[in-house]
């Protein structure tokens, strides 16, 4: 065994002369996964009209992707360990490209929803293997810091790139190209990965917790489906109540199973630690409002204010820039000086304040006077919150738990977005229908009343989102009680959690 370890160690110490080109391939794949969560938002109004998707079901274009991505992310990391990172990376790229092509060629809503779910499943395989390849490719501390900086910058700017590219493709080509565009990117990345990336074979002794993945994913799908069915059926409908209750039961059984599984998908000691659990909850609650905002503002800008897809994409840029400023220029500078909750709580208050401003929008609101200030407050608040959440959630974990802890933060983000989009979309469409029936006085006012009803539905849902963000701030204030991170001594051993 010592010969094998020595061989591996010596190989690792010899840097690959083409490693920076390998970074380009890894970052390209990660960028594709990240921007796909926003690029479709801009195309959604056009896709909904083209395929005849109802207002109640339109959220599945977003949630099918985020549900599959978040629900299978932990399993995807285990698959990478079992099969090998490079092989999983290539499989993920090919599968993502095929799913994107199917979505672009969709002839109906069901085909599009299925393709988006398939995209999310392959993204759940692709993302963990990309991060693992980055870790094993760059072993020198200085190079690793630079590589992760480039990787993080691309991942962070993915949302902004997605909005702009989505606007360009939808306006000058067709909404389908927001999905087709992944195919050439994936082809380049596959050939680049085969030529430039290196990895040792997978570990045959790794166990996959398939029952855990089925229970967890099944529970989340049932809850999201229950939320979406509440719009046409009502909250007291037996099917809606059955789906919500069934989802809770499945998630309860999932938690029980994690205590019995030989290699659990989510080791429960990770979420038993108070600060870490607080971070997971804060992240999940925070993105509920953020994903709902993307959906509603896309429709508001394009359908109500008559913006083109490109102009809509550009209108979101201040939000992304504010997130980057809040994260890199405020949180990053204060992280070592103040407790994490002193950033997270004000961050959620700022974001909720931005939401409250948006509740005042009407059918003829101005972008500069009302929408822009709200987006800036939202972005600064999210930027203040995200960095301490990631830093605190992953601090002090044992080395063998680092990967699953990082994946759990990302899972809470995707799952929160899935549940939030479904819930807020149902609240918006239900409120719109009730408003329209109460204010429709005649055929002459039908068009105006429909626009007013739509905006009313958005504002009601945004009030709920603001309340959820305040709840996220309360959770952070009560549960995340740790102090400022202290630099560990050079010889310190990470303390095991649980």
């Amino acid at each position: 065994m010592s010969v094998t370890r020595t061989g591996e160690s010596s190989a690792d110490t010899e840097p690959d002369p083409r490693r920076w080109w390998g970074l380009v391939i890894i970052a390209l794949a990660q960028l594709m996964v990240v921007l796909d969560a926003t690029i479709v938002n801009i195309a959604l109004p056009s896709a909904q009209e083209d395929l005849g998707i109802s207002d109640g079901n339109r959220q599945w274009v977003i949630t099918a992707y985020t549900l599959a991505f978040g629900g299978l992310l932990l399993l995807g990391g285990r698959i990478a360990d079992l099969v090998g990172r490079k092989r999983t990376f290539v499989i993920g790229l090919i599968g993502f490209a095929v799913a994107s092509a199917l979505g672009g060629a969709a002839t109906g809503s069901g085909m599009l929803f299925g393709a988006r779910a398939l995209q999310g499943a392959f993204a759940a395989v692709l993302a963990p293997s990309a991060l693992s390849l980055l870790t094993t490719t760059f072993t020198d501390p200085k190079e690793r810091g630079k590589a992760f900086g480039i990787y993080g910058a691309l991942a962070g700017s993915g949302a902004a790139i997605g909005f702009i590219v989505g606007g360009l493709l939808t306006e000058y080509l067709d909404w389908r190209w927001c999905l087709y565009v992944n195919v050439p990117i994936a082809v380049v990345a596959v050939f680049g990965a085969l030529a430039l990336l290196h990895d040792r074979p997978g570990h045959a002794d790794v166990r996959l917790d398939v029952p855990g993945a089925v229970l967890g994913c099944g529970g989340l799908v049932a809850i999201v489906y229950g939320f979406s069915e509440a719009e046409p059926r009502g909250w007291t409908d037996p099917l809606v109540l059955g789906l919500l209750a069934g989802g809770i039961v499945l998630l309860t059984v999932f938690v029980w199973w994690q205590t019995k599984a030989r290699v659990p998908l989510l080791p429960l000691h990770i979420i038993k630690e108070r600060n870490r659990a607080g971070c997971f909850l804060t992240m999940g609650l925070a993105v509920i409002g953020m994903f709902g905002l993307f959906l509603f503002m896309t429709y508001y800008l394009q359908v109500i204010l008559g913006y083109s897809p490109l102009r809509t994409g550009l209108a979101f840029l201040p939000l992304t820039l504010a997130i980057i400023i809040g994260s890199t220029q405020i949180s990053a500078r204060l992280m070592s000086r103040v407790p994490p909750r002193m950033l997270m709580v004000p961050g959620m208050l700022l974001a909720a304040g931005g939401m409250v401003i948006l509740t005042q929008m009407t059918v003829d609101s101005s972008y500069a006077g009302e929408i822009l200030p709200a987006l800036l407050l939202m972005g600064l608040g999210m930027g203040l919150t995200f960095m301490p959440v990631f830093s605190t959630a992953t601090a002090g974990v044992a080395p063998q738990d680092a990967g699953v802890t990082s994946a759990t933060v990302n899972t809470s983000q995707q799952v929160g977005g899935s549940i939030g989009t479904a819930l807020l979309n149902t609240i918006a469409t239900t409120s719109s229908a009730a408003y329209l029936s109460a204010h429709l006085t005649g055929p002459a006012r039908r068009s105006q009343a429909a626009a007013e009803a739509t905006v009313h539905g958005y504002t009601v849902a945004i009030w709920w989102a603001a309340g959820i963000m305040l709840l996220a701030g309360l959770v952070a204030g009560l549960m995340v009680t740790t102090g400022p991170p202290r630099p560990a001594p050079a010889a310190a051993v990470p303390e095991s959690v649980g």
Side-chain angles (χ1 to χ4, degrees):
M1 293 294 291
S2 61
V3 175
T4 305
R5 288 176 183 172
T6 304
E8 288 178 1
S9 179
S10 62
D12 288 344
T13 56
E14 296 175 6
D16 185 345
R18 298 180 298 176
R19 61 194 178 282
W20 293 105
W21 284 109
L23 172 63
V24 172
I25 298 302
I26 295 170
L28 190 66
Q30 177 65 15
L31 179 65
M32 182 176 68
V33 170
V34 171
L35 67 82
D36 218 73
T38 55
I39 192 173
V40 176
N41 269 282
I42 303 298
L44 193 49
S46 301
Q48 180 180 2
E49 184 180 358
D50 192 15
L51 298 180
I53 304 171
S54 70
D55 286 348
N57 285 334
R58 67 189 175 195
Q59 51 88 14
W60 281 108
V61 179
I62 309 299
T63 53
Y65 179 81
T66 54
L67 256 183
F69 191 4
L72 298 174
L73 193 56
L74 292 168
L75 185 66
R78 297 286 190 189
I79 292 172
D81 290 335
L82 175 65
V83 178
R85 300 175 185 92
K86 178 179 176 179
R87 188 179 299 174
T88 309
F89 184 77
V90 172
I91 292 170
L93 283 169
I94 294 172
F96 198 89
V98 171
S100 298
L102 286 173
T107 55
S109 58
M111 185 175 174
L112 180 58
F113 300 158
R116 290 287 287 164
L118 199 59
Q119 274 187 309
F122 281 107
V125 172
L126 181 59
S129 55
L131 192 56
S132 298
L133 281 168
L134 186 66
T135 303
T136 55
T137 301
F138 293 90
T139 54
D140 179 79
K142 290 183 179 179
E143 288 195 348
R144 178 177 290 198
K146 185 177 180 181
F148 269 87
I150 296 170
Y151 180 85
L154 278 172
S157 61
I161 296 171
F163 284 129
I164 296 170
V165 172
L168 284 168
L169 293 174
T170 304
E171 186 163 344
Y172 295 110
L173 290 175
D174 185 70
W175 68 266
R176 297 177 184 275
W177 278 97
C178 291
L179 293 161
Y180 286 143
V181 70
N182 292 320
V183 177
I185 296 175
V187 169
V188 171
V190 166
F191 282 108
L194 294 173
L196 298 169
L197 299 179
H198 305 285
D199 186 40
R200 291 187 292 273
H203 303 279
D205 58 337
V206 172
R207 303 284 181 178
L208 297 180
D209 182 16
V210 176
V214 171
L215 288 167
C217 247
L220 293 172
V221 169
I223 289 173
V224 171
Y225 188 41
F227 285 152
S228 66
E229 285 296 304
E231 188 267 327
R233 296 173 178 270
W235 288 101
T236 57
D237 183 82
L239 176 63
V240 173
L241 295 175
L243 284 167
L244 295 177
I248 292 170
V249 169
L250 285 173
L251 292 179
T252 303
V253 176
F254 167 78
V255 173
W256 170 82
W257 173 252
Q258 295 309 287
T259 66
K260 305 295 181 184
R262 183 176 174 185
V263 183
L265 197 64
L266 176 61
L268 293 184
H269 67 264
I270 288 174
I271 59 174
K272 285 181 179 177
E273 201 273 328
R274 176 175 179 161
N275 292 290
R276 196 164 293 118
C279 287
F280 295 150
L281 273 174
T282 301
M283 175 62 82
L285 291 169
V287 296
I288 286 177
M290 190 172 181
F291 274 63
L293 176 80
F294 286 161
L295 179 66
F296 300 140
M297 292 311 297
T298 296
Y299 275 86
Y300 178 76
L301 293 171
Q302 289 192 49
V303 177
I304 304 299
L305 297 187
Y307 281 25
S308 68
L310 177 58
R311 190 180 178 190
T312 301
L314 293 172
F316 278 108
L317 274 185
L319 172 73
T320 308
L321 293 174
I323 291 175
I324 294 171
I325 291 170
S327 180
T328 62
Q329 301 303 310
I330 302 177
S331 275
R333 294 173 186 270
L334 296 177
M335 271 290 295
S336 60
R337 303 178 187 178
V338 300
R341 64 177 172 179
M342 295 303 292
L343 295 170
M344 295 160 67
V345 174
M348 286 294 91
L349 290 175
L350 280 175
M355 286 287 192
V356 171
I357 292 174
L358 286 179
T359 62
Q360 307 307 307
M361 66 186 184
T362 63
V363 292
D364 53 5
S365 293
S366 72
Y367 177 81
E370 298 171 60
I371 309 303
L372 180 60
L375 294 181
L376 290 174
L377 282 177
M378 278 278 299
L380 284 173
M382 288 295 182
L384 279 173
T385 304
F386 284 167
M387 178 165 280
V389 163
F390 275 101
S391 176
T392 307
T394 55
V397 296
Q400 65 270 21
D401 291 330
V404 71
T405 304
S406 299
T408 305
V409 181
N410 287 307
T411 297
S412 66
Q413 188 175 8
Q414 298 297 330
V415 168
S418 305
I419 293 175
T421 303
L423 174 62
L424 295 177
N425 185 68
T426 294
I427 291 172
T429 50
T430 304
S431 301
S432 294
Y435 183 95
L436 186 61
S437 63
H439 292 79
L440 188 58
T441 56
R445 250 186 60 82
R446 180 176 295 275
S447 178
Q448 179 68 14
E452 291 173 355
T454 299
V455 175
H456 172 76
Y458 295 162
T459 57
V460 170
I462 290 170
W463 271 117
W464 278 83
I468 292 169
M469 285 192 165
L470 289 176
L471 178 60
L474 182 63
V475 167
L478 295 177
M479 294 186 67
V480 185
T481 57
T482 186
R486 297 178 181 177
V493 178
E495 184 180 347
S496 179
V497 178

